[in-house]
Amino acid sequence: MFLKGNIAYTPSPEKFEVIESGYLEIVDGLVKGVYKEKPAGVNDADVTDVGDQLIIPGFVDLHLHAPQYANVGLGMDMELMPWLNTYTFPEEAKYKDVSYADKVYSQVVKSLWKNGTTRSVIFGSIHRESTNRLIDMMIEAGLSAYVGKVNIDRNAPDFYMETLEESLSETEQFLKDNVGKSDLVKPIVTPRFVPTCTEELMRGSAELAKKYDVPVQSHLSENLDEMAFVKELHPEFESYGYVYDEFGLFGQQETLMAHSIHLTENEIQLMKERGVWAVHCAHSNANLGSGIMPIRQLLDNGNKVGLGSDVSGGHMMFMPANITLSIQLSRLVWQETNHEQDALSTSEAFYLATKGGGKFFGKVGSFEEGYEADVLVINDDNLGVDGLSLQERVQRFIYVGDDRNVVSRYVRGELLEEPSFDKLVSS
Amino acid sequence: MFLKGNIAYTPSPEKFEVIESGYLEIVDGLVKGVYKEKPAGVNDADVTDVGDQLIIPGFVDLHLHAPQYANVGLGMDMELMPWLNTYTFPEEAKYKDVSYADKVYSQVVKSLWKNGTTRSVIFGSIHRESTNRLIDMMIEAGLSAYVGKVNIDRNAPDFYMETLEESLSETEQFLKDNVGKSDLVKPIVTPRFVPTCTEELMRGSAELAKKYDVPVQSHLSENLDEMAFVKELHPEFESYGYVYDEFGLFGQQETLMAHSIHLTENEIQLMKERGVWAVHCAHSNANLGSGIMPIRQLLDNGNKVGLGSDVSGGHMMFMPANITLSIQLSRLVWQETNHEQDALSTSEAFYLATKGGGKFFGKVGSFEEGYEADVLVINDDNLGVDGLSLQERVQRFIYVGDDRNVVSRYVRGELLEEPSFDKLVSS
């Protein structure tokens, strides 16, 4: 099949590749090529012509918390640790009730669909059954994701805590439930973060990740109080990242570390050596007053970097809003460092939210040959685009567009209808 | 008349005043009172019941550039001075053509209406006739604003420059055209900024402001290169603000200074003494990498402060997005200063975008008795507000709402229909 329209994507961070009224060829869910002219012999019946609309890659969100969705936009006047205890843990605890999970997770999945987030990496709650429901809903919707059952066995409220044994056994069952279930939606081992995971839990999680060959996600060096607490818990380690490393959670399997703000030089090097991802969550980091990730330093150093919405520490599921704030914060850093740290360009930040973060999934987020065909069709009629170049139209969509502009989504070549969970959701 | 619904406003920055299913009484365009119960003897026919929707004050935008609207979301990878020369001056020069002004200004006014910005302070272009059209459109729409014809007589491209004589004579004619024309839409003297205004133009502008008793708006200390240029042009002055002060443009009439980022202690004091407003334009300051206004210091010092979208340096006309980024930047400053500079609370930033900035217009932006009845009705059904308190609903609307949620707008008690300019616009 072919999609015909105004194609824009970023094979490299330096610039947008744009083709006006071009053809995107998709074969067996993969991009076959992008052409300026209709290839010889192509039948019109094989071409979906989207007219003057934009065709861009689907967005990749490397960090969000599905069971915090009901708190989005609330409690934005706290720091991490009190925010967790006041807003977050009580809300996440509700997911013991599967019918509550059905109710909210169906909204989360619809919101991902609506906002054009075709790939995401998601924290569930500590509850296996509810997290399984989320996986089933993502499969039903046709969206692609890694989804984790969270592990917590210390320093959390009684109502939101596991024993070491149940945390590990439920995680193993969660992996058995979901490994091999879907090509698009897969489980990920998810120890919440050092403060809430005993050494045994960290080590056991790492063993499960290795045994089932699944990736790992957690949080790293988001907040200074959090880091002081980690230091208190593990004074014998050089710094936070080394705790994860000791217990096998720092790149032994493919690993995402959300936030990664207050890093030491040694940690940055270790993350590079181990291939550990730093996930930049600009909205969350600003909302909670956590700080600004040294994104330029990480990129210059060759570290793996992607973007995350971190809903609900961040309030914007729509990835372009995360692109925009990432650029804005980088421009303020550029100013504050007397232009020593270059700001992110628009194409670079777009790259991070498509092909850059997409690498976590494989060949995802670009329209180069062999990439999985995750595609958004963007109608920007309402954005006043008369006379703009195609590149300017993409820039305007990123800055002032919203979910209204996302009119079609494809994952691996499949057009996704609006999710409806009549069959799955009991309520 | 009465509006019945869920009322929220900020008589003081410290907290939201909320009344569930309350009554807002409006008499002759002014707020008469807010009541928990329907006052005795009130006829149902006098009550507009908006059900479970929110009733909040209209938003106040103290700084935007109408002739930059067609550039919104573009050119966000430059600093101020090259951005002005590459994107802004060429676009503003187009407003010599009144039909172009008609076309874009009609969209600007509709966008203000749509986004619930009931009061705004606007830079036009250097062109009197086009700026007059904007004033006529604002009057027709029923929105309230101060609108200025811009003055430029040095250091701008040939195609966007006036002589001193025409700049002053056209400004005087602009004031004659518009002073007394409308109670809601008024002219404001608008020397662009020191780099583009000769001493004679600044002095002459000040004299006109005094002669016609109108306020003044300009830009102050937005960017370090801009400031270095001002120092080069006027080495005899202690700093930027003192240049305006010498020429009568620093509070001799009520004065707005957009940005006001890189201020000296002496300037902050002088601004306080003179009653000069500092207008915080968070999106613009981040986009252009200008820096962060010391908003906490200004507020603590008792300086006058309001918020501005600064379209198109800023890309968000919707004032809640400016509230949000103002809070976010303040939280990052709070973190960077080891908690020395308190962050803005949600109520405080909401106050700045309503009653705080509204003071520039008089008794505007609150529902206290005697305030002009500028009101928005907000439908937040799509924001998942089941079980939230009224205050949480306001917070969620600010963080994740958009123009879709703004369903009605009143200015001075008048319900405003969507603007249509069939009569005014020639094209």
Side-chain angles (χ1 to χ4, degrees), chain A residues 69-79 87 103 107 114 224-225 262 282-292 315-316 324-325 327-329 331-332 334-336 338-339 344-346 382-384 386 388 391-393 395-396 399-400 402-404, chain B residues 69-79 87 103 107 114 224-225 262 282-292 315-316 324-325 327-329 331-332 334-336 338-339 344-346 382-384 386 388 391-393 395-396 399-400 402-404:
Chain A
Y69 184 74
N71 276 346
V72 76
L74 302 183
M76 306 277 77
D77 46 5
M78 289 188 178
E79 267 195 286
Y87 280 91
K103 186 179 137 194
Q107 294 170 36
K114 195 174 61 156
L224 297 177
D225 288 347
H262 308 282
H283 273 290
S284 170
N285 300 161
N287 285 337
L288 298 176
S290 302
I292 302 178
H315 57 282
M316 298 304 289
T324 303
L325 189 63
I327 297 171
Q328 291 180 311
L329 296 185
R331 291 189 63 78
L332 290 169
W334 169 78
Q335 194 271 327
E336 283 165 11
N338 287 316
H339 304 190
L344 297 176
S345 68
T346 312
N382 69 322
L383 302 180
D386 275 8
L388 297 192
Q391 188 168 324
E392 287 173 326
R393 285 173 60 182
Q395 194 170 18
R396 174 159 296 171
Y399 274 86
V400 301
D402 59 36
D403 60 273
R404 279 172 280 198
Chain B
Y69 184 74
N71 277 346
V72 76
L74 302 183
M76 307 277 76
D77 47 4
M78 289 188 178
E79 268 196 286
Y87 279 91
K103 186 180 137 193
Q107 294 171 35
K114 195 175 62 157
L224 297 178
D225 288 347
H262 308 283
H283 275 288
S284 170
N285 299 162
N287 286 336
L288 298 176
S290 303
I292 302 178
H315 57 282
M316 298 302 289
T324 303
L325 189 62
I327 296 170
Q328 291 180 312
L329 296 185
R331 290 188 64 77
L332 289 170
W334 169 79
Q335 195 272 328
E336 284 166 11
N338 288 315
H339 304 190
L344 296 175
S345 68
T346 311
N382 68 323
L383 303 180
D386 274 10
L388 297 192
Q391 188 169 324
E392 288 173 325
R393 286 174 59 182
Q395 194 170 18
R396 174 159 294 173
Y399 273 85
V400 301
D402 59 35
D403 60 273
R404 281 172 279 199

Side-chain angles (χ1 to χ4, degrees), chain A residues 208-238:
Chain A
L208 288 171
K210 189 175 178 192
K211 178 174 175 186
Y212 291 89
D213 192 20
V214 298
V216 169
Q217 63 179 343
S218 193
H219 300 92
L220 176 65
S221 298
E222 174 178 2
N223 172 286
L224 297 177
D225 288 347
E226 168 210 14
M227 292 166 67
F229 190 34
V230 169
K231 193 74 193 170
E232 198 179 297
L233 292 167
H234 301 280
E236 68 278 24
F237 291 99
E238 183 180 323

Side-chain angles (χ1 to χ4, degrees), chain B residues 9-16 60 299 305-307 323 345-359 364-366 368 371:
Chain B
Y9 62 110
T10 44
S12 77
E14 288 75 31
K15 68 180 186 66
F16 285 97
V60 180
L299 290 169
V305 177
L307 303 187
I323 291 173
S345 68
T346 311
S347 63
E348 194 174 19
F350 184 88
Y351 172 91
L352 291 173
T354 53
K355 184 177 173 181
K359 287 180 184 170
V364 163
S366 182
E368 294 155 86
Y371 271 68

Side-chain angles (χ1 to χ4, degrees), chain B residues 216 220 241-257 266-278 301-304 360:
Chain B
V216 168
L220 175 66
Y242 289 85
V243 183
Y244 287 125
D245 194 46
E246 170 68 19
F247 300 114
L249 293 168
F250 215 54
Q252 288 79 2
Q253 298 292 115
E254 192 80 3
T255 299
L256 294 174
M257 284 289 161
N266 284 344
E267 273 173 329
I268 290 173
Q269 282 315 115
L270 186 63
M271 290 177 83
K272 184 181 175 182
E273 282 163 29
R274 296 274 194 273
V276 172
W277 289 77
N301 194 52
N303 285 53
K304 293 181 183 171
F360 186 76

